[in-house]
Amino acid sequence: QVQLVESGGGLVQAGDSLRLSCAASGRTFSSLVMGWFRQAPGKEREFVAAVSRSGGNRNYVDSVKGRFTISRDSAKNTVYLQMNSLKPEDTAVYYCAAGVVWSESVTYSRPSAYDYWGQGTQVTISS
């Protein structure tokens, strides 16, 4: 079993930055592919970013490329989502997800590939 705890959400203005953190416990962190998803009111959960077990591969949804950066720190068992140049359309509940995979290089954008989910953290961007 893996426990995921997100933090770092909040209310900021358009153009500001936020860094989300997700601390993982319960399983060897290096065995997990990590992802961030978001869900806005009335919309389906959307893939945002993912990082492979090795940290060498990263994948982003087009709408955040160049603005968001996903990273992982194995010493702290934590994955981060650095969000810059935030826009009102980034407003959502952001969820951290972890998947148990054999490959060190894969990333996944579909929610069904992930086995564990955090409780979510609210990000609100005012215009």
Side-chain angles (χ1 to χ4, degrees):
Q1 194 73 5
V2 175
Q3 292 77 44
L4 302 172
V5 179
E6 302 106 330
S7 60
L11 170 63
V12 298
Q13 294 185 334
D16 286 349
S17 298
L18 278 176
R19 188 176 79 157
L20 304 184
S21 300
C22 172
S25 61
R27 192 180 180 100
T28 303
F29 187 63
S30 61
S31 70
L32 302 170
V33 62
M34 302 298 296
W36 285 97
F37 291 76
R38 65 187 179 186
Q39 188 165 19
K43 295 188 177 181
E44 293 188 354
R45 190 166 297 191
E46 174 190 37
F47 168 75
V48 177
V51 60
S52 61
R53 284 177 50 194
S54 67
N57 289 327
R58 305 175 187 183
N59 188 22
Y60 300 92
V61 68
D62 286 346
S63 60
V64 308
K65 285 180 180 177
R67 300 188 299 122
F68 291 12
T69 302
I70 189 171
S71 61
R72 62 190 296 159
D73 185 337
S74 295
K76 297 182 178 180
N77 290 351
T78 299
V79 63
Y80 302 98
L81 186 68
Q82 178 66 44
M83 306 186 294
N84 298 329
S85 301
L86 284 161
K87 304 175 181 180
E89 51 264 43
D90 294 319
T91 295
V93 177
Y94 282 71
Y95 296 92
C96 174
V100 179
V101 296
W102 288 108
S103 170
E104 292 189 344
S105 61
V106 296
T107 61
Y108 296 107
S109 60
R110 64 184 191 276
S112 61
Y114 294 85
D115 304 294
Y116 305 99
W117 294 83
Q119 81 287 351
T121 185
Q122 178 69 48
V123 172
T124 303
I125 314 302
S126 64
S127 58

